[in-house]
Amino acid sequence: MTDLLERARSWIEADPDPETRKELTHLVEVASSAADPAQRASASRDLAERFAGPLEFGTAGLRGIIGAGETRMNRAVVLRTTAGLARYLLATDEAAARARGVVIGYDGRRMSREFAEDTACAFAAAGIPAILSPIPCPTPVTAYAVQALGAVAGVMITASHNPPEYNGYKVYWGNGAQIIPPHDKGIAAAIDASPAAKDVPRSDLDAARAKGLVRSFPNDLDDRYLAAIAALSVRGDGDRSLSIVYTPLHGVGNRLVRAALAAAGFSRVTTVPEQAEPDGAFPTVAFPNPEEKGAMDLSFALAAREGATIVLANDPDVDRLAVAVRRPEGGYVQLTGNQVGTLLGHYLLTRTPACLSDDVPVEDAGKKLVIASIVSSPMLGAIARALGVRYEETLTGFKWIANRAMDLERAEGAAFVFGYEEALGYTVGTLVRDKDGIGAALLFAELASVIQAGGKSLLDELEALSRRYGLYASGQRSVTLPGTEGLAQIQAAMDRLRASKPSRVGALAVLALADFQAQIRTLPDGRTEPLTLPKSNMIALDLEGGSRIIARPSGTEPKIKFYFDIREPMTPGEAIAAAESRAKTRMTELEKALSAIVGI
C-alpha cells in the first residue's frame, strides 16, 4: 500500500491539471487516513485500479475512463502521448513533420476540446504545426482532412460509442488510415520514453496561433468533404421525397448529415430533437451505441409519428451507421451491420438493385475490389464473386481494411469500391480511409429512394438477394471469463479447438481449419496452405454449404467470442420464414456442437 500511495503522490506532483490533482489528492487522503476502514479499503481499491499500469497504446491509440491516474484518460496522459508521437514523427521524417503538420479533430465528449488543445500545444512546442478543428467534428472528417490537407498524421479525440465516462486518442498515419504495425509499436516505445507530464513542453495556444504553429481547418473543408461524398452517388433518380428520421445520439453528426442529405434532394428529414445537439452526458441513452437495446427508442417513436420509410442513426463520432426500416405490418426493424453492408455493397457493384432487374455489373468488374472484416458475413463475398469482382477479407478492425485496399491499389491497380465490418462500419470508395457514417448514410438513403421508386421495400430487396445467393444468417456468442483463471480458460478453449481439428461440427463437414496464429490453413486430407493475414489468436472453420465458424478472444475484454455464419439455400417459391427457421435451428445446433468441442 505504501508503494501505491507513493506512486499516486508522484503522479500528483507531475500532473499539470489542477482538477485531476485535486481528485487524486482526495483519494490518497481517504486511502491513507480515513477513520472508516471500509472507506479506506474502497479508496485503496480505486487507487490500485488507477495505477494498474499505463493506459496501453495500441493500433486504435488510447481509450479509457476519464479521471486521474495512469490507467485513465487525462491531460497528463494526453501530453505524454503527444510528446511520444511528436518524437516518433520527427525521427521518421523530420522535414515532413515540420512542413506538413498534424491534423487534430475532437468530438463532443467531456474533455475532448481540452485534450485536443493540449495536443495542439504539445505539437507546436515540438515544432510540428497543428491543424486544429475549430469546433467538434466527426471522425470521418478528421480522417478525410489528413489526406486533403497533406498532413503527416492525424489525431482524433474520441471514444466513439463507448459509455459517457470514456474518452480516447486515435492516431492516423499520413495516408489517412489508422496506424498499423510497425508504427503502433514505435509510437508506444516513444511514449514510454516521454518525460513526466509537467516536463512536456507546451506552447501557449494564442502564442502558437500567432506564430502559425496552430491553425484551424480551412473554412471550406466541410464543403469540400460534402462535395466529395456527393460525387460517390451511383444514381441520381429515385424517390427523394421519402421520409427519413435521423438521430446523431447526442453526437456531432447532425449538421453534416443533414447538409449532405439536403444537397442530394432529400427534403423530408427529421432529426430526433432530444438528441440533435452534442452532449457528452448522453442524457437520453444508457449507452450511446445504436446497437444497444433502447438506444433508438426515441427514433422509432418519431418515425412512427412521421410515417418514415427509414431511420438512420450515427454513433457519437459519426463513424458508424445504423439503419432501421418500416415493416409492412407496421413498426420498425433494425437491420444488422451485415444486412446494411450487403445491401450497400450490392448496390455499389450493380447499376440496378436485384429486385428491379437482373444484376448488371459495372464496367471493369475485374478491377473492382470490395473488402470485409473476416467476422462479417460471407454473403458480400458470394455476391462479388458472382459479379466477377475481387473480394478480400482482413482481420477485425477498419485499419486493416483501409491499409489492405491501399496495398492492392498500389501493387495491382485495384479499384476499391466498398469496405465494411459487421459492427456498423462502412466506407465507400477512397475518399475516407476509415469508417464513414456520413457517406454511408447518404448512399443508403439513395439506395432506399431507388427501391421505393420501384414500388418495393428494402426488406423486399434483402429477400431478393437471399433467393439469389442463399439466405445468410449471422450469430455471435460471447463468454466472459474474468481474471487470470478466466484468461487461462479462454486460451485452453482455443488450444482444444486447434488440437481437435474437428472433421464435423454438428451436421456440417469441416472443409478447412484456418489457424491465424500459426498462419496455416489445414484441409481435410491433411494438406496445408499458408495464410497471408497478420498473426492473430483466431481460428476459422469453413463448413460445407458456405457456412462458417470463427473463434477468437476479445482484444479489449476478458471474453472469448464465437461468430456463426449460416448459409441456407432457398427453393423457388419457398417462404423466406421457412428458410429463416431452418437457419435458426442450424445455428443452435452448431453452437451446441462447438461448445462441446471447446469445453465452454
Side-chain angles (χ1 to χ4, degrees), residues 414-430:
F416 179 65
V417 176
F418 178 66
Y420 98 97
E421 58 183 9
E422 48 82 34
L424 307 186
Y426 323 94
T427 195
V428 179
T430 61

Side-chain angles (χ1 to χ4, degrees), residues 22-56:
K22 180 180 177 181
E23 176 187 335
L24 199 55
T25 298
H26 173 72
L27 197 58
V28 167
E29 289 173 352
V30 174
S32 59
S33 58
D36 185 346
Q39 287 184 332
R40 288 202 307 274
S42 176
S44 296
R45 287 193 297 272
D46 194 354
L47 278 177
E49 289 181 5
R50 291 169 185 258
F51 290 92
L55 198 57
E56 185 176 350

Side-chain angles (χ1 to χ4, degrees), residues 71-83:
T71 64
R72 299 291 194 255
M73 276 296 298
N74 49 62
R75 293 178 65 193
V77 165
V78 166
L79 286 168
R80 294 191 72 248
T81 299
T82 305

Side-chain angles (χ1 to χ4, degrees), residues 404-537:
R404 180 58 176 161
M406 287 186 280
D407 287 345
L408 292 172
E409 289 163 8
R410 284 191 299 266
E412 302 179 22
F416 179 65
V417 176
F418 178 66
Y420 98 97
E421 58 183 9
E422 48 82 34
L424 307 186
Y426 323 94
T427 195
V428 179
T430 61
L431 177 67
V432 176
R433 297 296 191 171
D434 197 5
K435 300 180 291 291
D436 182 1
I438 303 172
L442 179 61
L443 266 293
F444 198 92
E446 178 181 305
L447 163 62
S449 74
V450 172
I451 296 292
Q452 181 158 298
K456 301 289 185 178
S457 73
L458 288 158
L459 296 177
D460 293 331
E461 172 73 349
L462 279 171
E463 181 173 338
L465 292 175
S466 295
R467 291 189 182 281
R468 181 162 302 185
Y469 299 103
L471 184 139
Y472 284 79
S474 299
Q476 186 182 140
R477 178 180 176 231
S478 295
V479 182
T480 301
L481 297 165
T484 55
E485 183 179 342
L487 290 175
Q489 288 178 279
I490 289 171
Q491 188 55 49
M494 296 295 292
D495 291 342
R496 278 192 291 273
L497 186 55
R498 285 188 173 93
S500 65
K501 291 186 170 58
S503 60
R504 305 187 72 83
V505 180
L508 297 181
V510 176
L511 302 182
L513 184 150
D515 183 345
F516 290 87
Q517 188 162 276
Q519 293 188 298
I520 291 174
R521 186 172 186 262
T522 304
L523 304 176
D525 60 6
R527 289 181 297 121
T528 61
E529 302 170 344
L531 296 174
T532 57
L533 293 183
K535 283 189 176 183
S536 176
N537 189 11

Side-chain angles (χ1 to χ4, degrees), residues 211-491:
K211 293 178 181 177
L213 283 169
V214 174
R215 60 183 188 270
S216 295
F217 284 6
N219 292 334
D220 66 344
L221 183 72
D222 286 349
D223 291 338
R224 289 160 59 185
Y225 166 76
L226 290 172
I229 63 169
L232 299 172
S233 172
V234 175
R235 292 174 55 161
D237 57 348
D239 182 4
R240 304 289 169 121
S241 69
L242 86 166
S243 177
I244 301 171
V245 160
Y246 170 70
T247 178
L249 286 181
H250 300 292
V252 296
N254 192 48
R255 181 175 61 88
L256 290 184
V257 170
R258 291 293 299 266
L261 291 171
F266 293 98
S267 57
R268 297 177 60 200
V269 182
T270 307
T271 300
V272 176
E274 300 92 335
Q275 299 172 336
E277 297 303 318
D279 187 338
F282 305 105
T284 69
V285 290
F287 200 127
N289 180 351
E291 289 184 295
E292 292 292 322
K293 185 176 177 59
M296 291 181 64
D297 285 354
L298 288 174
S299 305
F300 294 154
L302 179 59
R305 294 194 300 272
E306 295 287 331
T309 300
I310 58 172
V311 178
L312 303 176
N314 290 127
D315 64 342
D317 72 325
V318 212
D319 63 348
R320 288 172 170 82
L321 172 72
V323 176
V325 301
R326 187 170 55 202
R327 293 190 182 96
E329 66 274 19
Y332 291 82
V333 58
Q334 187 167 341
L335 303 182
T336 67
N338 283 322
Q339 289 172 322
V340 174
T342 298
L343 285 167
L344 274 175
H346 178 263
Y347 178 65
L348 292 163
L349 291 177
T350 59
R351 293 194 184 96
T352 310
C355 69
L356 302 181
S357 72
D358 290 337
D359 294 332
V360 182
V362 293
E363 294 85 354
D364 299 322
K367 292 185 177 181
K368 303 297 181 185
L369 169 68
V370 292
I371 303 178
S373 66
I374 195 167
V375 297
S376 301
S377 170
M379 188 174 185
L380 181 59
I383 292 171
R385 286 187 288 270
L387 297 171
V389 171
R390 182 168 182 171
Y391 172 75
E392 292 261 338
E393 291 181 337
T394 69
L395 296 181
T396 305
F398 233 86
K399 57 185 176 286
W400 301 115
I401 293 175
N403 280 283
R404 180 58 176 161
M406 287 186 280
D407 287 345
L408 292 172
E409 289 163 8
R410 284 191 299 266
E412 302 179 22
F416 179 65
V417 176
F418 178 66
Y420 98 97
E421 58 183 9
E422 48 82 34
L424 307 186
Y426 323 94
T427 195
V428 179
T430 61
L431 177 67
V432 176
R433 297 296 191 171
D434 197 5
K435 300 180 291 291
D436 182 1
I438 303 172
L442 179 61
L443 266 293
F444 198 92
E446 178 181 305
L447 163 62
S449 74
V450 172
I451 296 292
Q452 181 158 298
K456 301 289 185 178
S457 73
L458 288 158
L459 296 177
D460 293 331
E461 172 73 349
L462 279 171
E463 181 173 338
L465 292 175
S466 295
R467 291 189 182 281
R468 181 162 302 185
Y469 299 103
L471 184 139
Y472 284 79
S474 299
Q476 186 182 140
R477 178 180 176 231
S478 295
V479 182
T480 301
L481 297 165
T484 55
E485 183 179 342
L487 290 175
Q489 288 178 279
I490 289 171
Q491 188 55 49

